Amino acid sequence: MIARRTLLSRRTLLLGALALGAAGCGGQADPPAPKDAPAAEPPPPPGAGADLPVVAILGDSITAGYGLPARDALPAQLEAALTAAGTPVRVRAAGVSGDTTAGALARLGFSIQDDTDLCVVAVGGNDLLQGIEPARMRANLEAIITGLQARNIPVLLAGMQAPPSYGAYATEFAAVFADLARDHDIPLYPFLLDGVALDPALNQDDGIHPNAAGVKVIAQRLAPAVAGALAGD
């Protein structure tokens, strides 16, 4: 496939993917998180937030808060947005920078705890960057979804999008998220970076990862979908 034959700069590829129309393909996974970037947080102390629903975000650098302090990362901001909207929750970080769907599947058992009331599955962007076949990505996501459902953990699937210049690959990639949501009767949030991608005011200097303001936009847009999923809508 094209993504395996041609390598452009990582920045060009990522910006193209986020723009949903830029040219070029190829690229690599997200860079390792900086030492101060939050990864999956440890289990809460016994009794901490015991009366609140628990939402976990299984993802990559976007959900891990690449380049941001924990207070500005998506888990903290989503928790704040939901609480402000009248749905107090505890949001747990389960994002690892650079993760593909295969990586998220491999750590599913220990990254998502059994007391989770909802898991937001937000991986797939690095599969796109590595040119992984949509069928393989679908198999990994399906295993994640069914694995969570087998543990009675509801799922909200957060999608990514490929640029139209990817041709048939873009169509197949987009269909994975919609088809899985339909086939497993789970809610879908179509594009995790909706409203943020390519806006310089909402991204870090790399033009790829959301800054604190961008994360707040993501959290505010994602919060209603999370609240609806928690309510069973």
Side-chain angles (χ1 to χ4, degrees), residues 58 96 98-108 110-111 123 127 140 144:
L58 183 70
V96 172
D99 244 6
T100 61
T101 54
L105 174 60
R107 62 183 175 85
L108 183 65
F110 60 84
S111 288
V123 285
D127 294 67
N140 291 333
I144 290 171

Side-chain angles (χ1 to χ4, degrees), residues 171-228:
T171 302
E172 294 174 18
F173 184 88
V176 166
F177 299 97
D179 289 351
L180 285 173
R182 181 195 65 236
D183 293 348
H184 293 277
D185 194 24
I186 58 176
L188 172 67
Y189 186 76
F191 186 31
L192 185 64
L193 297 177
D194 184 39
V196 172
L198 285 186
D199 186 338
L202 298 177
N203 285 278
Q204 298 178 43
D205 290 342
D206 61 9
I208 298 165
H209 295 92
N211 58 23
V215 171
K216 285 185 178 181
V217 172
I218 295 172
Q220 290 166 0
R221 292 189 177 213
L222 181 60
V226 172

Side-chain angles (χ1 to χ4, degrees), residues 42-209:
D51 56 336
L52 297 178
V54 174
V55 176
I57 310 180
L58 183 70
D60 49 34
S61 63
I62 304 300
T63 55
Y66 179 88
L68 298 172
R71 67 179 179 275
D72 291 329
L74 184 56
Q77 289 302 314
L78 180 59
E79 183 174 302
L82 283 163
T83 300
T87 304
V89 298
R90 173 178 171 81
V91 177
R92 289 181 184 154
V96 172
S97 184
D99 244 6
T100 61
T101 54
L105 174 60
R107 62 183 175 85
L108 183 65
F110 60 84
S111 288
I112 306 301
Q113 300 170 45
D114 288 338
D115 64 344
T116 302
D117 294 288
L118 176 70
C119 182
V120 179
V121 176
V123 285
N126 287 316
D127 294 67
L128 167 65
L129 301 181
Q130 294 183 18
I132 293 173
E133 294 286 351
R136 182 177 166 193
M137 181 181 75
R138 179 192 170 105
N140 291 333
L141 283 171
E142 189 155 40
I144 290 171
I145 292 167
T146 57
L148 290 168
Q149 290 178 329
R151 295 164 60 190
N152 296 315
I153 298 175
V155 177
L156 168 63
L157 184 60
M160 292 296 290
Q161 297 180 1
S165 60
Y166 277 47
Y169 183 93
T171 302
E172 294 174 18
F173 184 88
V176 166
F177 299 97
D179 289 351
L180 285 173
R182 181 195 65 236
D183 293 348
H184 293 277
D185 194 24
I186 58 176
L188 172 67
Y189 186 76
F191 186 31
L192 185 64
L193 297 177
D194 184 39
V196 172
L198 285 186
D199 186 338
L202 298 177
N203 285 278
Q204 298 178 43
D205 290 342
D206 61 9
I208 298 165
H209 295 92

